[in-house]
Amino acid sequence: MQIPWSIFLYLTIFHLIYIPPRLTVFAGDVKPRTVIVVDQSGHGHFSKLQHAIDSVPEHNYKWIEIQVRAGVYREKVEIPSNKPYISLVGDDRDTTVIQWWDGGGSATPEYATFSVYADNFVARHITFKNSFHPVTISQAPAASIFGDKVAFYDCGFIGVQDTLTDFLGRHLFDGCYIEGYIDFIWGYGQSIYHGCTINVTSGPYNDRIYGAGYITAQGRESIEDTNGFVFKYCKVVGNSYAYLGRPYQTYSRVVFYKNYLSDIVVPQGWNPAFIFGHRGSAAHEEVDCVGPGSDKSQRVKWGRNLNTDELNSLLNPNTFINQDHWIENQPPPTKRRALHKFLTSKTTTRSTTMPEFRQRRTPLSRSFPFVHPRRG
Ligand SMILES: *[C@@H]1O[C@H](CO)[C@@H](O)[C@H](O)[C@H]1NC(C)=O
């Protein structure tokens, strides 16, 4: 087909003068990537994060980095399931904050300020916050994660009840800060929390009325489900008392491995409120923890002990969440981010990569060793 000269000329000139701002191909240190900048002061491609996400093509299959400059973004943000391979990079988790307020009824995960429905997602240096504070404490997640192969590095999650809705899929939370009071790390997720700070605080609510809070509420429903929560080298602090958890479903699995537990952890450790008649099958394990809250002499006697094989398999990221090496294959931030971090270096140690993962990058395998729990 012949293209008329006038149209050809028009297209050529148009493309010479019109360089779409949001699709800047950036040659990163690993592979070419698209970088989208979100900046409230108007120096980026978008001033709202959701608009940047909307601009990602559906069924995206190449990593796209969205850099979110410092600012409090008052938005409810969603990464839909047809937009995988997004890497979200804030300036600093103290200064790049996504904040909304929603909650109250029974549709808990949907109230989240930030929801990830897509597989293959990574976020760094961003805080997600839900500031919904009705008269009585209600479900109000800061983030809900439904996707598989999702990692958060040096991120913050701030809320009161159900703060981090770790709903479904294999996840890594590395060097994160998680603040809440009631069931504030909960869901059917298959996750490792590595080097995180867990801060129990009742926010605007009076903890003398509400009593001790609950850090975890893990929802493994059957013996075949592969999910569970593993906390390695985390620090549990706060200014309200809390149970380490209350198993949310019969076969709940939670492991605290070499954590620092401050004196806010109640001596009983665990609460059976959700599984009262089935206390034998929930596994809650504390291995080599330290600190005044780690004394196990008054811990509850119910619950199933993990055998050595099951425990080792949960503790090893490569057998529990990273069987197909998706973690090594997520992109690090682009050089621009590294330069910024270098210039504003605060000698922080909180942004880390688990030593196990500082390795070669292997091709993705097709295995999917993750069994969806059934939900009634
Ligand atoms: C925990 O949260 C409280 C209340 O927001 C705050 O005062 C305290 O500094 C936090 N602790 C840490 C270790 O961040």
Side-chain angles (χ1 to χ4, degrees), residues 138-150:
S138 298
Q139 295 96 320
S144 293
I145 326 295
F146 302 86
D148 188 36
K149 305 190 227 185
V150 171

Side-chain angles (χ1 to χ4, degrees), residues 9-54:
L9 204 65
Y10 171 78
L11 286 173
T12 309
I13 291 170
F14 182 78
H15 276 95
L16 283 178
I17 52 175
Y18 181 76
I19 300 160
R22 65 191 167 81
L23 294 180
T24 314
V25 175
F26 187 90
D29 44 359
V30 178
K31 54 183 124 174
R33 245 170 303 156
T34 303
V35 173
I36 302 172
V37 176
V38 181
D39 187 332
Q40 282 187 329
S41 61
H43 293 99
H45 305 112
F46 295 97
S47 57
K48 290 217 170 280
L49 173 54
Q50 187 65 54
H51 292 164
I53 292 161
D54 293 345

Side-chain angles (χ1 to χ4, degrees), residues 93 158 177 179 197-203 235 237-239:
R93 76 162 146 81
I158 298 180
Y177 173 80
E179 183 182 300
T197 297
I198 295 163
N199 191 2
V200 183
T201 159
S202 58
K235 205 166 72 176
V237 296
N239 49 27

